[in-house]
Amino acid sequence: MVQVNAIGDTCPIPVIKAKKAIEALTGADTVEVLVDNDFSVQNLLRMAHEIGAKASAEKTAEGNFRVRMEIGDAASKLENIPEDCLVPAAGRKKRTVVAVTSKCMGSGDDTLGASLMKAFLFSLTQQETLPDTILFYNGGAYLTTEGSASLDDIKTLEAAGVEILTCGTCLNFYGLGEKLRVGGVTNMYAIAEKLLTADLVIRP
Amino acid sequence: MRTRQKVCVVTFSDTHEAIAFEERCHARGFPGRIIPTPQSISAGCGLAWLIPPGETLPVKDVGAYEAIHEVTLWL
């Protein structure tokens, strides 16, 4: 067994230390990480889950936490794990995702809804704090494609660092595959992951 | 790169007036776009028409509107 002392370390240091310990293993083994805060426990358990390692956590007599990870062939999956706080700690910037599911904002009159959506996307460009990601799916896919009245706004957001992603299945369904004009194409696994790991999801 | 720029916006007394104005501008190829009425302006409608910097718009020929304002926006 390999023991890692991350007492006194804050996120993401315990995850980085655990990754290094796992990478140094030459075969199946157990890695035990000592930490002193619940956020680190959550991050380590999340990392173990991501690489398919069995993991458990317990409180020690000293009031710290011991996270045990049974590493089989899990080390090979480590390269996909970011050295980042997978679970947000207090004070960290919230990860915000905007999910645009339609050409219209709200339900009711579609002409009004389309105008409201255009106004909403423009409003985003006027904010001091921008979202991390905007996902466009189902009818929302029309907004990132040729002919969209919001293309310039979405390009402005992308240039300012906002990740712009459109559902590839939706582009295909609506015959828009060749008409995407801003951002990248994504799939449902990535959409689910973005929504699940966001601190805040906004659906206009 | 976003910069703060002075622009003119046309405001309306209600939403139907704003949407009708937008449709007429599009039909006649006039420059501009619908935006939410900037918070610094008091207007009857939450939608306004932004005239892009450097562009001119024959506002009176387009249709009914409430007023024209100069505002500063991120563009």
Side-chain angles (χ1 to χ4, degrees):
Chain A
M1 186 190 73
V2 175
Q3 192 174 65
V4 176
N5 186 353
I7 302 283
D9 294 332
T10 55
C11 177
I13 303 299
V15 169
I16 293 171
K17 283 185 172 179
K19 275 186 73 175
K20 285 184 177 165
I22 294 168
E23 282 165 353
L25 297 178
T26 54
D29 207 338
T30 299
V31 172
E32 189 176 275
V33 188
L34 298 173
V35 294
D36 61 7
N37 65 84
D38 188 52
F39 285 118
S40 293
V41 173
Q42 290 182 55
N43 277 305
L44 289 164
L45 291 176
R46 181 74 181 270
M47 183 189 77
H49 174 74
E50 298 264 338
I51 63 175
K54 278 188 184 175
S56 61
E58 61 180 2
K59 204 161 189 173
T60 67
E62 297 78 28
N64 295 319
F65 300 91
R66 180 184 293 118
V67 181
R68 289 171 66 90
M69 292 179 274
E70 294 175 30
I71 311 299
D73 62 349
S76 61
K77 299 167 190 165
L78 266 182
E79 61 188 35
N80 297 325
I81 303 299
E83 290 182 349
D84 194 3
C85 299
L86 300 171
V87 176
R92 187 176 71 77
K93 178 186 176 296
K94 287 187 185 299
R95 190 173 298 146
T96 304
V97 172
V98 177
V100 178
T101 64
S102 164
K103 285 187 281 190
C104 299
M105 184 175 185
S107 56
D109 184 271
D110 282 354
T111 303
L112 173 62
S115 287
L116 294 179
M117 183 60 83
K118 278 186 282 184
F120 173 75
L121 291 169
F122 176 82
S123 295
L124 287 183
T125 69
Q126 302 297 300
Q127 304 299 313
E128 292 294 334
T129 304
L130 299 175
D132 297 276
T133 302
I134 307 179
L135 299 172
F136 293 87
Y137 51 87
N138 208 327
Y142 279 101
L143 297 170
T144 53
T145 54
E146 193 175 294
S148 161
S150 294
L151 269 185
D152 287 344
D153 291 335
I154 301 169
K155 286 177 179 173
T156 298
L157 291 164
E158 184 181 45
V162 178
E163 182 181 36
I164 306 295
L165 295 171
T166 302
C167 162
T169 304
C170 310
L171 290 169
N172 179 267
F173 180 86
Y174 290 117
L176 299 169
E178 304 301 316
K179 295 182 177 175
L180 185 71
R181 293 294 177 265
V182 57
V185 178
T186 190
N187 59 50
M188 193 53 74
Y189 293 105
I191 291 172
E193 189 262 338
K194 295 282 181 194
L195 293 173
L196 283 168
T197 57
D199 297 309
L200 187 63
V201 175
I202 297 164
R203 186 178 160 186
Chain B
M1 182 68 178
R2 294 189 303 165
T3 55
R4 299 281 284 171
Q5 295 186 48
K6 280 188 177 178
V7 292
C8 285
V9 297
V10 182
T11 57
F12 306 95
S13 57
D14 63 51
T15 309
H16 296 286
E17 198 172 276
I19 291 173
F21 192 94
E22 179 188 28
E23 287 174 351
R24 283 193 288 270
C25 280
H26 283 166
R28 297 166 70 176
F30 289 153
R33 54 166 302 172
I34 282 284
I35 64 167
T37 304
Q39 295 180 78
S40 57
I41 299 174
S42 175
C45 171
L47 298 176
W49 184 259
L50 165 67
I51 303 172
E55 299 276 7
T56 56
L57 176 69
V59 178
K60 287 179 181 169
D61 294 343
V62 180
Y65 66 96
E66 189 177 72
I68 300 172
H69 303 260
E70 186 180 66
V71 296
T72 303
L73 295 174
W74 285 105
L75 293 174

